[in-house]
Amino acid sequence: MSTPVNGKTLSGTIFRTVLAFSLAIVLVILGVAATTFFVLFEHQAEENLAHEAEEAAVQLQAADDPAAVARAQLEGSVRFTYIGADGTVIADTEADASALDNHADRPEVQDAQATGVAVVSRYSETLQSDTIYAAVSLSDGSVVRLSEERDSLFSFGTWFVLPGVVLLVVVVALAYVVCRALTKRIMKPVDALNFREPLKNEIYAEMNPLLERIDAQQKQLKQQNIELARAENLRRDFSANVSHEMKTPLQVISGYAELMMNDMVQPADRQKFSALIYEEAQAMRSLINDVLTISRLDEVGMNGERMERIDLHGLAYIVAGRLESFAAKNDVAIKVEGEQAFIMGAGTLAEEMVYNLVENGIRYNHPGGTVTVTVHGGAHGVDMTVADTGLGVPDEYKEKIFERFFRLEKSRSKATGGTGLGLAIVKHAVQFHGGMITVESEMGKGTTFVLKFPSAPPLVKQHDEAE
């Protein structure tokens, strides 16, 4: 059996609790029993002593010489004292009557002279112990008093020590046996718990919160494992896709460079081959830049980026200017509409987000088409739409287009020069800025990306305190 980490066991806890409770009950019972028996015995002793006092009084009352009769009393366990009407001790069976103090002030004497019969329990200075006094008044005012020394409650309780010790030993033994059996019975359903399916166990109601917590944690762990497996699959697929995407431009560059190196290219074709090598190198460069960006977003979320106020409307104008020649080459017009609206974000990442959306709208448009960027701001936040007049996206692919290296038409996408990572970067960038992105599209009429962001807090105006 393994030792508990905290040093406690259920059986030990139950044993200590039951034993402490049992001992307390036994001690209380012994105390109550001793006190009850003591009171009963003392009460019986008082009645017996009073009866004997009354009988002695009858004898003295009938005697011609009560004093002589009193002096003739035999010594025994009961002390006999004959007291005159003035309190003078006439006779005493345990002490010299002439040496005793006047007893007129004794409570039992005063009560007997007042009521006829008195029983008093008090500490006797003469006998140095607890004593019961029973006094009866005679017709001439004299008093006959009987007294008996009694054990105190503490002394009386010593008679219960041995039975009490035996009883305590029996209680300890029984508590040990009962606790072991009780613990075994309590732990039987606990030992049979199936932690793979915590909520299907038939167990004590008190354990339901624990089992519910275990079930919730297991579900959380399963979800985390699923997410980790998904992330691992994404990483594996991402690495495979990157390798695949880089293989084609590298083969083209290597092939053309080898031809040129071996003088197998006509002088008239050298410029053409150089241009092809340059285009493939640029495509590979774009791919590497996108891979680095998305890897940085995956690993650290760009926490090191400096946050600033960004005017999305103004940023759209800047991006339109950068893509003007690319749009003209594809015979696509770029329009920027709306008004100034600010968000808090990372300037470089926000620019890349807008750039990828506009470039995507140009790249997958048709000659004579347009890309329109609209920005509106308000108390609700900042809304930005990027709409193109391209072929559109089928409904079943509206979410998939944000996946890495996903292409609707692979041959057409490669021909247009896309890396397949642009929209994946856009989605990460929108989430980084606390926003959300949705896609609205109709086949043959174009696609609209709708972005929503929280507004940047207003600038605090600085007032010049100098007058």
Side-chain angles (χ1 to χ4, degrees):
M1 183 180 295
S2 59
T3 303
V5 176
N6 60 4
K8 291 183 179 180
T9 62
L10 179 61
S11 59
T13 302
I14 294 177
F15 175 72
R16 287 190 294 271
T17 303
V18 172
L19 181 61
F21 180 77
S22 301
L23 291 179
I25 293 297
V26 169
L27 292 175
V28 169
I29 291 175
L30 288 174
V32 171
T35 303
T36 302
F37 282 119
F38 176 78
V39 171
L40 291 175
F41 289 159
E42 291 300 299
H43 181 68
Q44 186 63 43
E46 289 176 358
E47 288 185 349
N48 292 339
L49 195 63
H51 180 68
E52 292 181 17
E54 288 176 350
E55 289 182 348
V58 171
Q59 293 178 6
L60 292 177
Q61 188 71 44
D64 295 332
D65 188 0
V69 174
R71 294 189 188 95
Q73 293 293 326
L74 297 175
E75 295 184 3
S77 60
V78 176
R79 181 182 180 186
F80 183 93
T81 306
Y82 180 53
I83 304 167
D86 59 353
T88 302
V89 178
I90 300 172
D92 190 277
T93 59
E94 294 186 6
D96 184 2
S98 60
L100 295 176
D101 296 334
N102 188 286
H103 281 28
D105 59 346
R106 302 298 169 88
E108 65 276 9
V109 174
Q110 295 178 349
D111 291 346
Q113 290 177 335
T115 62
V117 179
V119 178
V120 176
S121 177
R122 60 184 174 82
Y123 183 76
S124 173
E125 292 291 345
T126 304
L127 301 178
Q128 300 292 308
S129 63
D130 289 335
T131 307
I132 298 176
Y133 296 94
V136 178
S137 176
L138 277 64
S139 59
D140 60 356
S142 62
V143 174
V144 58
R145 186 187 71 177
L146 273 65
S147 60
E148 183 179 15
E149 187 177 353
R150 303 292 297 175
D151 290 332
S152 64
L153 177 60
F154 177 77
S155 299
F156 184 82
T158 57
W159 291 93
F160 289 81
V161 172
L162 182 58
V165 170
V166 174
L167 182 58
L168 290 176
V169 171
V170 172
V171 167
V172 172
L174 287 176
Y176 178 76
V177 174
V178 170
C179 288
R180 283 185 63 87
L182 184 62
T183 303
K184 187 176 181 180
R185 183 172 181 179
I186 292 174
M187 289 303 298
K188 186 175 181 179
V190 177
D191 292 335
L193 282 175
N194 177 12
F195 288 103
R196 292 185 178 181
E197 296 178 314
L199 299 184
K200 292 185 178 181
N201 290 286
E202 294 184 2
I203 193 65
Y204 310 112
E206 291 81 1
M207 293 195 67
N208 286 339
L210 173 62
L211 295 177
E212 289 172 359
R213 184 173 180 181
I214 292 174
D215 182 69
Q217 289 179 342
Q218 285 186 350
K219 289 180 179 178
Q220 185 178 3
L221 286 174
K222 289 178 181 178
Q223 184 64 34
Q224 289 176 350
N225 289 335
I226 292 173
E227 292 296 328
L228 288 174
R230 181 174 176 273
E232 178 61 22
N233 290 333
L234 287 175
R235 185 195 65 78
R236 190 182 299 110
D237 293 343
F238 182 64
S239 299
N241 286 329
V242 169
S243 300
H244 177 73
E245 293 291 332
M246 294 186 69
K247 186 181 296 183
T248 299
L250 283 174
Q251 287 176 343
V252 173
I253 292 172
S254 178
Y256 288 153
E258 184 178 4
L259 291 174
M260 295 176 67
M261 180 181 67
N262 294 326
D263 292 329
M264 297 177 67
V265 178
Q266 295 297 326
D269 295 330
R270 284 184 177 274
Q271 186 175 2
K272 173 186 172 183
F273 278 46
S274 298
L276 290 172
I277 291 174
Y278 176 79
E279 289 176 2
E280 294 297 334
Q282 289 300 105
M284 191 161 57
R285 179 181 179 184
S286 296
L287 177 61
I288 291 172
N289 287 337
D290 286 349
V291 168
L292 291 175
T293 299
I294 205 163
S295 296
R296 194 153 54 105
L297 284 166
D298 281 342
E299 292 178 4
V300 297
M302 298 191 71
N303 290 330
E305 291 289 321
R306 184 174 65 88
M307 303 298 286
E308 56 185 328
R309 287 171 59 86
I310 300 172
D311 176 16
L312 284 184
H313 189 261
L315 184 61
Y317 270 112
I318 295 173
V319 169
R322 288 180 56 192
L323 289 169
E324 186 176 1
S325 60
F326 180 65
K329 180 181 176 182
N330 289 272
D331 191 17
V332 175
I334 305 176
K335 297 179 182 180
V336 179
E337 300 176 350
E339 70 274 352
Q340 194 177 55
F342 291 90
I343 67 169
M344 291 300 297
T348 303
L349 186 61
E351 183 177 351
E352 188 166 4
M353 173 184 69
V354 178
Y355 186 96
N356 285 346
L357 286 172
V358 177
E359 183 189 37
N360 195 74
I362 297 170
R363 192 181 299 278
Y364 302 109
N365 217 314
H366 58 77
T370 59
V371 176
T372 304
V373 183
T374 307
V375 179
H376 292 291
H380 63 282
V382 176
D383 296 337
M384 179 179 185
T385 61
V386 180
D388 64 58
T389 56
L391 296 178
V393 179
D395 289 341
E396 63 268 26
Y397 294 131
K398 285 182 179 179
E399 292 299 324
K400 287 184 174 294
I401 60 175
F402 294 105
E403 295 178 2
R404 302 169 188 187
F405 296 109
F406 178 81
R407 293 184 173 92
L408 287 173
E409 300 176 20
K410 294 187 178 180
S411 59
R412 180 173 179 271
S413 297
K414 287 187 176 181
T416 59
T419 64
L421 292 174
L423 290 181
I425 293 174
V426 169
K427 184 176 181 180
H428 277 72
V430 171
Q431 292 174 343
F432 172 81
H433 290 95
M436 56 185 300
I437 182 170
T438 55
V439 182
E440 299 172 358
S441 184
E442 186 175 351
M443 295 302 295
K445 293 187 178 181
T447 302
T448 300
F449 290 91
V450 181
L451 291 74
K452 295 182 179 294
F453 300 97
S455 300
L459 288 174
V460 179
K461 295 182 179 180
Q462 302 292 331
H463 297 285
D464 190 1
E465 295 182 358
E467 295 183 357

